Amino acid sequence: MHRNNLTVGLIMLMVTGVTYVHSHARASQAKQGESWQARREVADSAARRGTQFIYHEEKVPAYTLPDPLVMADGTKVADAEMWRAKRRPEILELFRKYVYGRAPVGRPKGMTFKVFDLDQKALSGLATRKQVTVNFTGKEDGPSMDILVYLPSAARKPVPTFVILNFGGNHTIHPDPAIKLSTRWMRSGRKATEQSRRSSYSRFSVEKILSRGYALATIYYGDIDPDYHDGFKNGVHPVFDKLIDGKRAPDAWGSICAWAWGLGRAMDYFESDEDIDESRVAVLGHSRLGKTSLWAGARDERFALVISNDSGCGGAALSRRRFGETVKRINTSFPHWFCDNFKKYNGEEDRLPVDQHILIALMAPRPVYVASADADLWADPRGEFLSCKNAEPVYHLLGLNGLEVEKMPALNSPVQKGRIGYHIRTGGHGLTQYDWQQYMDFADRHFKGAEPSSRDRKDIVFSCDFESDNWYKEFGMRSEPERVEAVSSDPARKFEPLAGRAMRIKVERDGHYGTSILYRFKDQVGAEPQEIYFRYYLRFADDWNPAGGGKMPGISGTYGRAGWGGRPSNGRNGWSARGQFNRQVDGKTPLGYYCYHADMKGRYGSGWMWETEKRGHLQNNRWYCIEQYAKMNTPGKNDGILRGWVDGKPAFEKTDVRMRDVDTLRIEAVWLNVYLGGSWVARSDHHLYIDNVVIAHDYIGPIQ
Ligand code: GCU
């Protein structure tokens, strides 16, 4: 690291560092809702027990973090391409060489998977249970691990999956008597017993995970490498180690690296299991296994989401803060966890060419989640938060949101809007139901709704496929809206699913109102775009035959002031370009835009129908892929754009729209509005279905 190479980022960090010290000196305990601070009594008592460790913010030495966006030779990382091609590999190599060590590359030769247990009616029908032995070398006496998998019966396959190493044997996570009792080395030093079944049950909540549509895969970490120092004679090390003159290299892999490598082998298995969606696997770990999940996610980009629970030193916490557990202490108590080179930094943290924020940055562009606990000062909650914060520049370089908060959040106030999630909860070191709940919420945001073709696209802002029971939460709503229901079948109205469940909207006889669901950019991603693509699938039910026209989903910026319901736009108050439908012509419903704009005459918006090749004329009982694009005009100029596509084909274009005269009007929301008419009412019940909503910065197009 080049110490004199102070970049703006570093200076900013030092400034924040100073602020923390002052605010901490003023108050010993944050009030409800305030940015988290360690409770004084917790810090004092920890400091009394461990006098050689830092537990008070004011004792943290000044430090300078290496910049994730500056190459080792001092060159600035100019763009995403350079990050990908140069800096990321450079950083990975630094972590291999100086921290975790070097694991064998690629899939081991001869590795086999053997399913030795399969029950499709496990847990009273809630799940399919599988147990699989992964034999790393395929040799009878070679090392192997057992993966226990629970797949939710109710979910559409392949399913998104959480994979987690466990501390006590697979049999400890659930009382299910069919789970094989681990026969391997146990942390207790004793053989696993029937009594130890379910002893970690409270940490897992298998049923809850399944009910949310996720599979759970778990592996006993001792299968891969027993967690004690015996000179690397047991587990996978002796089988794969290449000794030089009978000795291990200073960058030979430690146990954390071996566990992380084992997770990669589980991923190899997932790729071969048709029930598991290998492109939606979240890797999660607690404590030393949280360090492990971070390294697993960094070295193996197949993990789509990486979660660290209370991982602390050598995990998510910044080493340079030396708060709680230090590099020296961890290398002394656990000499087998890291590579030998790491020991050179005992008490010499400032010389490390990396720090743990750069490890977090290695997850980009994938989502990553870090969680801390209030009383777990040993793991340095603030250092974990600061790692996330200082990983942000890499996400920004890639055009993505990171954490998007400046200060540590209050207790129990998860931050989940960008690609970096963080929370600190009440309580001590442990993996709790509360933690799991946050991880599943975060996974819902990133995993649900994006079909395979779009899942790895970085420009996707939001997607929802209505598979989750909590789908409305994805839009930021507290409860399911009225007249709306996620359905997977509806034979009376000739419904056929597009992909699993869809949102059914009902307009009741004698009524107008269908729904009004807003995805607000400010609330969800922190900023309002100037242009956006919005795609959804639309199907009019068999009973759809309204007597007149009405409103459909679209894009808006009403700001609660103007742009709907007879509140005309004047260029400064608000605007909207919702969808519009007219009454059926020859059995087809014409679709278009209903636009409130600065050139509108009278109190109501302009109707611009999608007439290109009549693509906007839609039949009942058929799914259509509807896509809209809006680009805000230069304030005062007639250069705003509205476009429309049906099933991937252009159906409408207008390039002279004046939505605004001031820059403060932007794209505030995607507005899923369904409303029949104005002056007339529905003569019978009408239904329509919406599915697979995607909002993105680039053209989305139909599901492949
Ligand atoms: C110890 C160790 C930590 C580790 C923890 C655990 O406390 O010092 O670094 O995270 O064990 O794995 O439970």
Side-chain angles (χ1 to χ4, degrees):
M1 187 203 115
H2 301 266
R3 283 236 203 179
N4 354 0
N5 222 332
L6 269 190
T7 67
V8 177
L10 306 185
I11 294 168
M12 275 176 52
L13 178 96
M14 293 177 73
V15 172
T16 25
V18 172
T19 320
Y20 291 137
V21 174
H22 286 301
S23 60
H24 199 272
R26 249 191 293 118
S28 68
Q29 192 172 348
K31 292 198 205 78
Q32 188 81 31
E34 268 179 21
S35 177
W36 179 85
Q37 294 186 26
R39 278 177 292 139
R40 196 89 204 174
E41 65 273 19
V42 178
D44 290 348
S45 109
R48 270 195 302 277
R49 280 179 282 120
T51 46
Q52 71 273 46
F53 301 111
I54 297 175
Y55 285 109
H56 294 96
E57 209 46 47
E58 57 270 27
K59 301 221 167 97
V60 173
Y63 60 92
T64 304
L65 291 178
D67 190 329
L69 293 177
V70 175
M71 300 283 301
D73 69 3
T75 342
K76 184 101 189 109
V77 177
D79 50 25
E81 179 52 38
M82 186 169 169
W83 163 260
R84 189 78 232 150
K86 300 226 164 83
R87 181 60 171 154
R88 191 177 187 279
E90 178 178 80
I91 296 171
L92 255 183
E93 176 56 18
L94 291 171
F95 275 106
R96 268 186 225 118
K97 189 154 181 195
Y98 297 108
V99 185
Y100 302 103
R102 214 174 282 283
V105 182
R107 235 177 131 114
K109 272 203 213 79
M111 178 171 65
T112 56
F113 309 128
K114 198 167 139 219
V115 178
F116 65 84
D117 168 49
L118 177 66
D119 179 358
Q120 286 168 331
K121 292 265 167 305
L123 310 185
S124 319
L126 197 63
T128 293
R129 186 194 56 244
K130 282 185 200 173
Q131 298 186 74
V132 188
T133 299
V134 177
N135 185 317
F136 300 121
T137 57
K139 296 196 183 108
E140 209 33 59
D141 56 348
S144 65
M145 66 180 185
D146 290 344
I147 313 179
L148 165 66
V149 186
Y150 280 108
L151 296 149
S153 305
R156 183 162 43 105
K157 308 288 177 314
V159 277
T161 301
F162 281 90
V163 61
I164 176 169
L165 295 179
N166 67 69
F167 284 95
N170 293 350
H171 62 278
T172 60
I173 71 128
H174 195 279
D176 184 346
I179 302 176
K180 186 174 151 194
L181 202 64
S182 188
T183 54
R184 322 239 181 194
W185 169 89
M186 287 288 121
R187 285 226 296 167
S188 57
R190 278 177 255 121
K191 279 235 144 112
T193 58
E194 279 300 327
Q195 287 74 45
S196 60
R197 277 197 190 279
R198 75 167 288 167
S199 54
S200 305
Y201 188 35
S202 66
R203 278 194 172 171
F204 281 83
S205 57
V206 177
E207 284 82 358
K208 183 105 21 89
I209 298 165
L210 294 167
S211 76
R212 290 194 54 168
Y214 290 98
L216 174 72
T218 188
I219 304 149
Y220 173 50
Y221 80 140
D223 279 9
I224 308 164
D225 188 30
D227 188 5
Y228 63 89
H229 193 37
D230 70 338
F232 301 99
K233 302 239 162 37
N234 54 24
V236 293
H237 286 110
V239 179
F240 293 97
D241 270 355
K242 287 196 188 74
L243 304 183
I244 309 160
D245 295 334
K247 282 211 277 266
R248 298 184 90 234
D251 63 353
W253 51 335
S255 293
I256 289 176
C257 187
W259 299 324
W261 174 89
L263 284 163
R265 307 295 61 82
M267 185 50 112
D268 294 341
Y269 167 72
F270 300 152
E271 288 181 334
S272 75
D273 186 325
E274 289 188 346
D275 293 335
I276 293 178
D277 184 348
E278 70 271 14
S279 69
R280 288 185 293 169
V281 174
V283 60
L284 158 60
H286 167 62
S287 205
R288 67 197 67 183
L289 296 177
K291 309 181 210 294
T292 303
S293 66
L294 288 173
W295 183 232
R299 58 187 299 283
D300 193 333
E301 291 185 273
R302 291 175 297 174
F303 292 108
L305 165 60
V306 182
I307 305 165
S308 144
N309 193 82
D310 305 353
S311 63
C313 180
L318 290 174
S319 302
R320 278 171 175 73
R321 281 171 48 85
R322 304 161 177 84
F323 190 106
E325 186 170 29
T326 60
V327 170
K328 181 171 176 198
R329 161 66 200 238
I330 205 164
N331 278 329
T332 312
S333 331
F334 307 100
H336 58 298
W337 281 4
F338 299 88
C339 74
D340 263 353
N341 276 339
F342 195 45
K343 302 194 172 91
K344 292 187 191 147
Y345 299 96
N346 286 352
E348 303 274 351
E349 288 84 348
D350 294 312
R351 285 183 39 243
L352 270 166
V354 287
D355 208 322
Q356 301 304 108
H357 62 303
I358 305 192
L359 179 68
I360 306 289
L362 287 178
M363 311 311 162
R366 297 162 297 159
V368 55
Y369 199 110
V370 171
S372 317
D374 178 48
D376 187 16
L377 297 187
W378 185 238
D380 187 14
R382 187 174 304 275
E384 298 195 310
F385 171 79
L386 286 172
S387 265
C388 296
K389 191 63 200 155
N390 286 283
E392 225 173 20
V394 175
Y395 282 82
H396 289 169
L397 180 80
L398 303 182
L400 300 165
N401 282 317
L403 200 57
E404 308 313 322
V405 293
E406 290 315 310
K407 287 197 290 186
M408 251 186 113
L411 261 188
N412 309 323
S413 309
V415 175
Q416 298 196 353
K417 296 216 168 122
R419 298 240 169 173
I420 309 178
Y422 178 82
H423 73 250
I424 176 158
R425 58 153 173 80
T426 316
H429 193 68
L431 174 60
T432 67
Q433 304 281 337
Y434 178 89
D435 296 319
W436 267 108
Q437 198 187 318
Q438 309 319 314
Y439 302 148
M440 288 191 278
D441 286 352
F442 193 66
D444 281 356
R445 280 175 183 266
H446 296 281
F447 281 175
K448 302 277 180 83
E451 59 270 11
S453 63
S454 60
R455 211 177 289 138
D456 44 20
R457 285 177 43 168
K458 299 182 190 68
D459 61 294
I460 305 246
V461 180
F462 172 79
S463 61
C464 179
D465 64 3
F466 305 96
E467 298 308 319
S468 154
D469 289 339
N470 293 323
W471 64 268
Y472 50 88
K473 289 196 180 155
E474 298 168 21
F475 286 89
M477 285 180 290
R478 291 211 183 144
S479 52
E480 190 159 18
E482 280 174 40
R483 294 185 192 76
V484 164
E485 200 185 328
V487 295
S488 51
S489 79
D490 194 7
R493 279 170 277 274
K494 298 199 178 156
F495 173 75
E496 278 169 29
L498 171 79
R501 299 207 297 185
M503 169 168 77
R504 184 182 66 197
I505 300 166
K506 175 181 193 173
V507 180
E508 279 172 9
R509 183 187 164 160
D510 296 331
H512 301 283
Y513 185 76
T515 197
S516 176
I517 297 169
L518 284 157
Y519 176 89
R520 287 181 208 272
F521 291 95
K522 237 316 160 12
D523 296 349
Q524 301 297 327
V525 288
E528 295 177 338
Q530 301 275 13
E531 54 187 304
I532 207 76
Y533 290 83
F534 159 46
R535 187 211 72 188
Y536 68 102
Y537 274 80
L538 170 66
R539 180 188 176 103
F540 292 120
D542 201 40
D543 62 9
W544 180 263
N545 186 13
K551 283 77 175 175
M552 294 290 287
I555 298 166
S556 67
T558 67
Y559 298 90
R561 293 189 301 253
W564 87 104
R567 296 168 187 79
S569 301
N570 62 15
R572 292 178 308 281
N573 49 2
W575 71 280
S576 66
R578 274 177 291 173
Q580 155 167 355
F581 65 87
N582 290 342
R583 73 181 292 168
Q584 292 181 344
V585 182
D586 300 333
K588 291 183 175 171
T589 306
L591 194 74
Y593 273 120
Y594 182 56
C595 185
Y596 277 72
H597 55 105
D599 292 314
M600 65 188 275
K601 308 265 179 299
R603 285 173 53 212
Y604 294 95
S606 312
W608 295 325
M609 304 314 287
W610 293 9
E611 290 300 334
T612 311
E613 312 232 348
K614 292 215 175 245
R615 289 192 179 120
H617 293 240
L618 314 182
Q619 304 168 19
N620 289 0
N621 303 322
R622 176 187 181 300
W623 281 109
Y624 290 94
C625 172
I626 309 294
E627 181 150 352
Q628 303 177 355
Y629 167 73
K631 181 177 186 191
M632 297 305 288
N633 63 306
T634 317
K637 288 210 179 127
N638 280 80
D639 63 0
I641 302 176
L642 289 177
R643 292 200 176 104
W645 292 261
V646 175
D647 289 339
K649 302 212 178 76
F652 179 81
E653 181 177 58
K654 192 163 169 57
T655 55
D656 61 354
V657 190
R658 200 175 119 232
M659 293 110 167
R660 60 174 180 179
D661 293 336
V662 290
D663 182 57
T664 44
L665 293 188
R666 302 238 170 136
I667 295 170
E668 183 194 22
V670 163
W671 186 4
L672 298 183
N673 191 197
V674 173
Y675 191 89
L676 257 60
S679 52
W680 56 278
V681 293
R683 288 185 300 227
S684 57
D685 290 353
H686 296 301
H687 292 82
L688 59 83
Y689 310 89
I690 285 179
D691 203 353
N692 286 45
V693 170
V694 176
I695 302 171
H697 295 303
D698 283 327
Y699 176 73
I700 302 152
I703 297 177
Q704 294 301 308

